[in-house]
C-alpha cells in the first residue's frame, strides 16, 4: 500500500454527479469511479499532472442522470470497465460479484453489492472510505422507483451492508445533495432523515424519488450508458427494467 495515495473528487456541475480518481502513487496505477463523459478531459489532466496510468474504470451502477465517460476512457487508455454483474452495463469487461476485490498497484477496492436504487448497484470500499453511488447520499438516499428500483432492497443494502461499516468510515456519494462533499457512516446513521429511527416499513413508505429526472432524458441516459456512455455504439438494448423485474421476482 502506498503511503500517499491520490484521492480526487470531481463534481460534474450540470448533473451534480461525483466522480473519483484514486491512485497508488508508488506504481502510478489509477482508478476512476463513475466518470462523466463531459469531464473526461479533467480526468486526463489530473492523471497527467500526477503521472498516473488508468488501470480500471469502475461504475457503481447504470446511471440515468448523466452520460458516462467509461467507454471513452476505455478506448483512450485500454483500461477495462468494471461494474456489478447485474448492472446492465453491456460493455463491462469485468462483471463483479459481492466481495470481489479490484487491485490497482498496491491498492485495492472491495465491491459490496448494494441493490435497491437499481438492481445492480455496487458500493466500493477503499481504505477508510466507501463509494456509495446513489445508494447512500449525504442526508439522503437514491430513488427506488420501480421497475429499476426496489425500496425494500435499498433499505436492506443501507442497513445491512453500509450502516454496519465502522462509524468513522467516510461516505463518498455518487451524487451531490447539497454543498457537502463527504460524510461518514456514524453521521448518516444518526442524522440521515431517510434512515434514522426508521423501520423497514416506514422507510419503504417514505422513500421518495430523490433523483428523478425527465423521463425522456433518463431513458436516453440508460440506453447510452448501457454502452458505457458511447453514443456511437448506443442502440436499444431492451429496457434495463427487464433486468430489475426479473431480479425482484
Ligand atoms: Fe443513479
Amino acid at each position: 500500500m502506498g503511503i500517499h495515495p491520490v484521492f480526487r473528487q470531481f463534481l460534474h456541475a450540470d448533473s451534480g454527479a461525483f466522480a473519483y480518481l484514486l491512485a497508488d502513487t508508488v506504481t502510478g496505477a489509477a482508478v476512476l469511479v463513475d466518470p462523466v463523459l463531459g469531464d473526461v478531459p479533467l480526468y486526463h489532466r489530473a492523471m497527467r499532472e500526477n503521472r498516473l496510468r488508468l488501470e480500471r474504470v469502475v461504475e457503481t451502477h447504470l446511471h440515468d442522470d448523466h452520460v458516462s465517460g467509461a467507454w471513452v476512457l476505455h478506448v483512450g487508455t485500454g483500461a477495462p470497465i468494471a461494474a456489478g454483474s447485474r448492472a446492465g452495463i453491456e460493455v463491462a469487461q469485468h462483471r463483479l460479484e459481492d466481495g470481489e476485490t479490484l487491485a490497482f498497484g498496491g491498492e485495492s477496492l472491495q465491491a459490496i453489492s448494494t441493490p435497491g436504487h437499481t438492481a445492480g448497484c455496487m458500493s466500493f470500499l477503499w481504505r477508510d472510505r466507501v463509494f456509495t453511488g446513489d445508494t447512500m447520499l449525504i442526508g439522503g438516499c437514491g430513488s427506488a422507483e420501480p421497475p429499476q428500483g426496489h425500496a425494500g432492497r435499498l433499505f436492506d443494502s443501507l442497513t445491512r451492508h453500509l450502516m454496519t461499516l465502522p462509524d468513522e468510515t467516510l461516505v463518498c456519494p455518487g451524487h451531490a445533495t447539497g454543498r457537502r462533499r463527504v460524510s461518514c457512516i456514524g453521521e448518516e446513521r444518526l442524522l440521515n432523515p431517510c434512515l434514522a429511527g426508521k423501520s423497514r416499513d416506514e422507510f419503504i413508505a417514505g422513500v421518495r424519488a430523490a433523483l428523478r429526472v425527465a423521463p425522456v432524458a433518463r431513458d436516453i441516459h440508460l440506453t447510452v450508458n448501457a454502452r458505457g456512455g458511447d453514443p456511437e455504439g448506443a442502440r436499444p438494448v431492451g429496457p434495463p427494467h427487464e433486468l430489475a423485474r426479473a431480479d425482484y421476482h
Side-chain angles (χ1 to χ4, degrees), residues 60-66 117-118 121 133-135 142-143 175 211:
T60 55
H61 65 293
L62 182 62
H63 305 282
D64 70 1
D65 61 336
H66 63 267
H117 170 60
T118 70
C121 284
D134 291 342
T135 300
S143 62
H175 204 280
L211 296 176

Side-chain angles (χ1 to χ4, degrees), residues 130-161:
V130 62
F131 303 96
T132 55
D134 291 342
T135 300
M136 178 183 282
L137 302 174
I138 299 174
C141 64
S143 62
E145 288 176 278
Q148 289 96 341
H150 187 287
R153 289 216 173 169
L154 180 58
F155 181 84
D156 295 341
S157 292
L158 287 161
T159 54
R160 294 180 192 167
H161 301 299

